[in-house]
Amino acid sequence: MYRFLLTPRWWGINLFVVLAIPFCVFMGTWQLGRFEDRVQSHEQAEKQPDPSTRAAKPLDELLPVDKVTSGRPAMATGTYGDQFLVPGRELDDRQGFYVLNLLRTEGGKALPVVRGWLPGTASGARVPAAPQGVVTVTGDLQASENIHSDGVDARGGLPEGQLGMISAAALVNLVDYDVYDAWVTLPEAEAGGTGGAMKPVPAAAPAGSGLDLKAFQNLGYTGEWFVFAGFVLFMWFRLVRREAEAVRDVALGLVPEAGPAGGPAGGEVGPEDSRPEAGPEGAAASAGEAAAQDLAGKTPETAQGS
């Protein structure tokens, strides 16, 4: 009854099922692994001491920025140069902007330093001047932003002197010197009251170290892929059962094949079709057929003798 599974059409269906189910299981397992990695990173981050409470180290010793060094206090010495305003940044549920200055270090590279945050719009804002001369700054180390970072404006078209994303890739087209692929945020107002009107910007947790929305998205995708695998198997079983029932019905004669005139195949006459019509004419026809059959059953000699 299941020989139909070997037909070309079913070979294609079976091949699809054989490939689809392992693929769905693999993708679901991969998404589950991503969720478990985020949970493990979150647990490890909670066990570690607050990065900002650890001893400050020179900037070059903490690069490149990773989950361990992100948030660590970093020291750098140099002179402040170009200044940029970073609009569209929220702090304490208020909209404002960052004040960012590039610190030209002794090695020639520049370190982006977020000196603080101010409320309102960046256009025409009065910003406290940066300290003059050689300074040593100690700020919480942060990785360069990307288009997925909170508050980033990747649309471009900002006025001169404004920056949508704090990264070396965004600054390389605005200055003619090298920039570190990292930045620091000052944990306190600048000495001397120069930046007293600005609020310090707290360091953000490293990407992938918390149970954020992405972690629960991974968990949701895990369930979806396993549901897809079960759905494929269910539909295959349903198709097989329906095909098997159709084959069984044909074998039992419950679904005869259609003939040329819509009747039974081969023009066969069923028992009901061979019955004579009711009434006198039908009875006469039946009697005539009986006499003909009786005559046909006799030999020629017997017929002549009759």
Side-chain angles (χ1 to χ4, degrees):
M1 185 169 59
Y2 293 96
R3 295 178 63 182
F4 62 85
L5 292 173
L6 302 178
T7 59
R9 180 172 69 91
W10 274 96
W11 268 111
I13 296 175
N14 295 336
L15 180 62
F16 171 78
V17 172
V18 168
L19 296 178
I21 292 179
F23 176 77
C24 293
V25 173
F26 169 77
M27 292 300 298
T29 305
W30 181 76
Q31 290 288 350
L32 181 60
R34 294 281 296 174
F35 173 74
E36 292 176 345
D37 290 341
R38 293 181 183 275
V39 172
Q40 185 177 6
S41 298
H42 176 67
E43 293 176 349
Q44 292 177 352
E46 287 186 338
K47 294 178 181 178
Q48 296 292 334
D50 188 352
S52 61
T53 62
R54 306 178 71 174
K57 286 188 176 183
L59 174 65
D60 292 333
E61 296 183 12
L62 299 176
L63 296 178
V65 184
D66 54 23
K67 293 181 181 180
V68 177
T69 60
S70 180
R72 289 281 301 272
M75 296 185 302
T77 301
T79 58
Y80 280 118
D82 294 280
Q83 177 173 282
F84 297 93
L85 305 182
V86 187
R89 299 306 173 107
E90 185 176 324
L91 184 64
D92 297 334
D93 296 329
R94 299 176 63 191
Q95 286 292 331
F97 59 93
Y98 293 166
V99 179
L100 181 145
N101 284 81
L102 295 178
L103 183 72
R104 301 288 301 274
T105 63
E106 298 175 353
K109 270 190 171 183
L111 174 67
V113 178
V114 174
R115 295 168 49 220
W117 174 90
L118 288 172
T121 59
S123 301
R126 299 182 61 184
V127 179
Q132 300 295 318
V134 179
V135 296
T136 298
V137 299
T138 301
D140 297 333
L141 187 62
Q142 298 281 267
S144 292
E145 295 180 334
N146 55 59
I147 58 175
H148 302 293
S149 302
D150 293 337
V152 165
D153 184 357
R155 296 173 298 176
L158 295 174
E160 185 178 357
Q162 295 189 20
L163 185 67
M165 179 170 58
I166 307 176
S167 70
L171 287 165
V172 70
N173 298 322
L174 302 177
V175 296
D176 56 358
Y177 42 83
D178 293 335
V179 179
Y180 280 104
D181 190 19
W183 58 284
V184 297
T185 175
L186 300 182
E188 298 178 356
E190 294 168 342
T194 305
M198 297 187 292
K199 289 187 176 182
V201 177
S209 63
L211 293 180
D212 52 6
L213 179 60
K214 292 183 179 179
F216 293 101
Q217 284 179 344
N218 292 134
L219 187 61
Y221 294 151
T222 299
E224 287 182 1
W225 282 113
F226 286 134
V227 168
F228 290 159
F231 179 76
V232 170
L233 184 60
F234 167 76
M235 290 303 298
W236 178 85
F237 175 77
R238 184 175 181 181
L239 289 174
V240 170
R241 187 178 65 176
R242 188 175 65 178
E243 189 84 2
E245 290 176 350
V247 172
R248 183 193 60 188
D249 292 344
V250 172
L252 295 176
L254 299 178
V255 183
E257 297 181 2
E268 296 178 358
V269 180
E272 295 180 356
D273 297 330
S274 63
R275 278 187 271 175
E277 297 180 358
E281 295 180 0
S286 299
E289 290 178 2
Q293 291 177 359
D294 182 59
L295 181 61
K298 297 181 179 180
T299 61
E301 296 80 2
T302 308
Q304 291 177 358
S306 302

